[in-house]
Amino acid sequence: MRLADVVSVSHAVARTSGRLEKTQHLADLLTRLPSDEIGIVVPFLSGSPRQGRIGIGGAMLSSMRDIPPADAPSLEIRDVDAAFDRLAAMSGAGSATSRSQVLRQLLGRATRDEQDFLVRLLFGELRQGALEGIVIDAIARASGIGAARIRRAVMLAGDPASVARTALVDGDAALSRFILEPFQPVQPMLADSATDVADAISTLGDAVIEYKLDGARIQVHKVDDEVKVYSRNLREVTAAVPEVVTVARGIPARAIVLDGEAIAMREDGTPHPFQITMRRFGRRLDVDRLRPDLPITPFFFDALYLDGEPLVDEPLARRMDLLTARVTASNVVPRVVTANPAEAAAFAAQALATGHEGVMVKALTGRYAAGRRGQTWLKVKQARTLDLVILAAEWSGRRKGTLSNLHLGARDSERGGFVMLGKTFKGLTDEMLAWQTKKFLALEIGRDAYTVFIRPEVVAEVAFNEIQASSQYPGGLALRFARVKRYRADKSAADADTFATIQEMYGQGSRL
DNA sequence: TATGTCTGCCCC
DNA sequence: ATTCTGC
DNA sequence: GCAGAATGGGCAGACATA
């Protein structure tokens, strides 16, 4: 199949807003597609190439803007895939230059529309209103198999392309080969948010409350002495966390799959900040050098498989029992089972006092909903707010032509002026975007390519979860997960919170 | 060698 | 990660 | 309720450049 055929379907998908119609366009394409190209095109339609990230980012792509497009389409899907393969294989000195040359050559053979598609694909912003979810529906429609069955197979396979090939070529019965088994990581279950523990308990009834640790999600697979550790995105990270391998090897089970969190702990049993955990997690070099001073500890909270039996369809209560029977208590997340809101609230307070992020509240009857934001898991995190001054805004956002991304500043009561603490666009409705665009242009005192700087007069109430060290901002501090709650028309810049206040919060640990 | 820029099925 | 929006 | 879009800070590592 030609690239142009895929591009035209992508355009048709982007043009319509209806999910059913998007699905139909994609299903038609899948039906026409030669079976040996399913593995290439399905990832394209889900928004990323088969090869994953291949070392091409925004800077490289924006340097390609001058390439004149071809007059007529000639690229085959296979040509593109082969070029991506070559790009992915490049490394070492001079690789950036040769990568740039190969990409230039590819884009030079593409029409304007094809160039546009390839650039968005490589940048990871296809924006056709259909990613994996819609593609799953399309596979279902094209194969005549139920969407739930396809979705489940994708969660277990971790990859829609192989499921598409099986469904379209071999049919329904062949999907049964997608089962949970060791060393085939499954997409982790995700959680919804709740405002507080009492709210979560009243939603879920009998529940287990767990410390929510601010580390990195891990899925650990063990068969006999062989252990592999996967990240939330199913990336294999075994080499980064030898401590986890040691703990897993010691578990008395022939085969087991566990879900948990890896975090750097202090000797006194309190957690390091997330930034410190990240110095270890994801590191491949010098792991042994950092290990003595910065050990990583796994804390497990779920068991997905044990000695030949998949547990994902078992209720949480049974999965917990099997977990605690096999794993030492020091490697299980602290937890309490209760339906009593007061007891739950006390446990949550204890989690925060120990320095943790908050708690998870989970229904005891819940199944493990792989890859989904299950309604049976609720996270409760502590947030606080500051009144900050808007220093500037950037041209970007949901609707082009609005000033959306806000620069947030705290008042510097000692030296005068304001100290920038980060940016946010979150929490802004379409209505607020329209209002602030007008307002900020009236307050403009200067601009550059993307930014309008304004007189520091507008105050917003900004929620955040943590204050963290920053090498980017002049005060050396930045807000984590900042979002706008509301504008404070009743406050002037002189009423805004001061940088000294933020420094004090950071010193105490922003969660205490 | 030292520093800066870019990238990441990155982590949150 | 968080949040808003259309379906 | 789901899926998608749009965007945040910071980390290690690879490579380019001075």
Side-chain angles (χ1 to χ4, degrees):
Chain A
M1 182 175 280
R2 295 183 318 163
L3 175 63
D5 296 322
V6 176
V7 172
S8 91
V9 168
S10 175
H11 275 166
V13 169
R15 261 199 308 277
T16 174
S17 61
R19 273 220 297 263
L20 291 175
E21 204 179 327
K22 287 176 189 286
T23 303
Q24 186 63 57
H25 283 302
L26 293 173
D28 289 346
L29 178 71
L30 289 177
T31 309
R32 281 164 28 217
L33 193 62
S35 59
D36 60 338
E37 292 182 1
I38 292 173
I40 304 170
V41 171
V42 166
F44 278 16
L45 298 174
S46 317
S48 67
R50 177 176 68 81
Q51 294 81 356
R53 302 300 311 200
I54 52 180
I56 291 169
M60 174 90 79
L61 289 169
S62 61
S63 75
M64 301 276 151
R65 286 193 184 139
D66 59 316
I67 300 174
D71 295 329
S74 66
L75 283 170
E76 289 288 323
I77 285 294
R78 290 164 200 287
D79 300 334
V80 178
D81 186 58
F84 286 178
D85 266 341
R86 262 189 295 154
L87 288 166
M90 292 173 171
S91 69
S95 63
T97 308
S98 31
R99 194 173 265 136
S100 164
Q101 283 165 352
V102 168
L103 184 58
R104 266 186 178 278
Q105 205 174 20
L106 177 70
L107 291 173
R109 294 172 59 199
T111 64
R112 172 69 68 202
D113 280 355
E114 289 170 336
Q115 280 188 350
D116 186 53
F117 178 86
L118 291 172
V119 165
R120 284 181 297 134
L121 183 67
L122 290 170
F123 194 57
E125 290 189 346
L126 198 51
R127 286 189 250 205
Q128 59 183 14
L131 292 170
E132 197 170 289
I134 308 274
V135 169
I136 284 169
D137 287 346
I139 296 168
R141 180 172 292 223
S143 64
I145 300 170
R149 205 162 144 67
I150 300 286
R151 185 178 305 279
R152 187 182 167 87
V154 170
M155 295 317 165
L156 294 172
D159 161 30
S162 61
V163 174
R165 197 163 34 234
T166 302
L168 293 166
V169 176
D170 304 319
D172 194 337
L175 284 181
S176 55
R177 76 180 168 88
F178 295 106
I179 51 171
L180 196 156
E181 55 186 337
F183 307 124
Q184 175 64 67
V186 300
Q187 298 188 17
M189 180 166 173
L190 307 173
D192 255 335
S193 292
T195 50
D196 58 54
V197 179
D199 191 33
I201 293 262
S202 73
T203 306
L204 299 180
D206 279 342
V208 54
I209 325 289
E210 300 172 344
Y211 281 11
K212 186 175 193 312
L213 309 183
D214 191 11
R217 188 86 176 260
I218 49 169
Q219 191 177 112
V220 178
H221 293 228
K222 163 192 138 72
V223 175
D224 299 324
D225 270 352
E226 190 180 359
V227 173
K228 287 191 177 177
V229 183
Y230 302 92
S231 73
R232 176 187 157 139
N233 293 321
L234 310 189
R235 203 166 62 90
E236 212 217 294
V237 295
T238 312
V241 285
E243 298 95 330
V244 177
V245 175
T246 304
V247 169
R249 284 218 180 102
I251 294 172
R254 197 191 71 77
I256 195 164
V257 175
L258 298 170
D259 192 359
E261 195 83 1
I263 186 169
M265 298 289 286
R266 296 194 185 91
E267 283 188 25
D268 66 0
T270 63
H272 278 295
F274 177 71
Q275 287 174 304
I276 304 294
T277 288
M278 285 309 292
R279 272 184 213 160
R280 278 289 317 272
F281 195 85
R283 174 185 290 268
R284 283 166 299 168
L285 275 32
D286 291 336
V287 172
D288 288 339
R289 186 168 60 79
L290 267 78
R291 211 180 141 174
D293 291 328
L294 208 56
I296 288 267
T297 307
F299 289 92
F300 297 109
F301 49 72
D302 217 319
L304 312 187
Y305 180 96
L306 179 62
D307 291 341
E309 188 193 359
L311 303 174
V312 286
D313 292 322
E314 296 295 312
L316 175 60
R318 171 147 196 262
R319 305 202 306 274
M320 274 170 48
D321 286 346
L322 293 172
L323 172 74
T324 49
R326 307 284 178 140
V327 180
T328 49
S330 57
N331 291 114
V332 174
V333 172
R335 51 174 39 155
V336 60
V337 173
T338 184
N340 177 341
E343 192 184 345
F347 190 74
Q350 186 186 313
L352 292 174
T354 313
H356 293 295
E357 200 181 10
V359 290
M360 300 290 302
V361 183
K362 300 176 177 176
L364 286 168
T365 53
R367 275 42 177 179
Y368 191 90
R372 317 204 69 168
R373 214 165 272 288
Q375 319 89 309
T376 62
W377 284 16
L378 297 173
K379 59 181 158 193
V380 181
K381 295 165 72 165
Q382 192 202 231
R384 49 181 59 213
T385 62
L386 289 166
D387 291 323
L388 298 175
V389 179
I390 311 303
L391 306 175
E394 296 174 12
W395 291 110
S396 51
R398 264 195 302 286
R399 281 209 295 254
K400 258 202 147 100
T402 63
L403 280 169
S404 88
N405 207 1
L406 307 174
H407 294 198
L408 307 169
R411 190 157 54 88
D412 188 340
S413 51
E414 287 153 29
R415 285 173 298 180
F418 299 87
V419 182
M420 185 168 171
L421 292 173
K423 305 180 195 178
T424 187
F425 64 95
K426 297 179 186 109
L428 299 167
T429 62
D430 284 357
E431 195 182 358
M432 289 161 87
L433 286 173
W435 172 82
Q436 73 189 25
T437 300
K438 213 169 174 185
K439 173 83 175 170
F440 293 166
L441 287 175
L443 294 175
E444 176 172 353
I445 54 175
R447 64 169 68 196
D448 65 21
Y450 304 103
T451 313
V452 173
F453 299 90
I454 65 173
R455 286 211 301 277
E457 294 177 1
V458 179
V459 176
E461 183 181 322
V462 175
F464 66 98
N465 289 64
E466 190 185 13
I467 295 163
Q468 59 189 358
S470 170
S471 56
Q472 185 179 345
Y473 291 107
L477 297 176
L479 301 183
R480 189 164 174 220
F481 309 139
R483 60 268 190 190
V484 173
K485 283 294 162 194
R486 57 179 169 146
Y487 278 112
R488 295 296 303 255
D490 57 320
K491 291 207 172 189
S492 70
D495 305 318
D497 282 305
T498 62
F499 184 62
T501 302
I502 283 102
Q503 283 178 306
E504 196 180 334
M505 286 173 138
Y506 177 70
Q508 296 170 350
S510 61
R511 294 196 195 108
L512 298 185

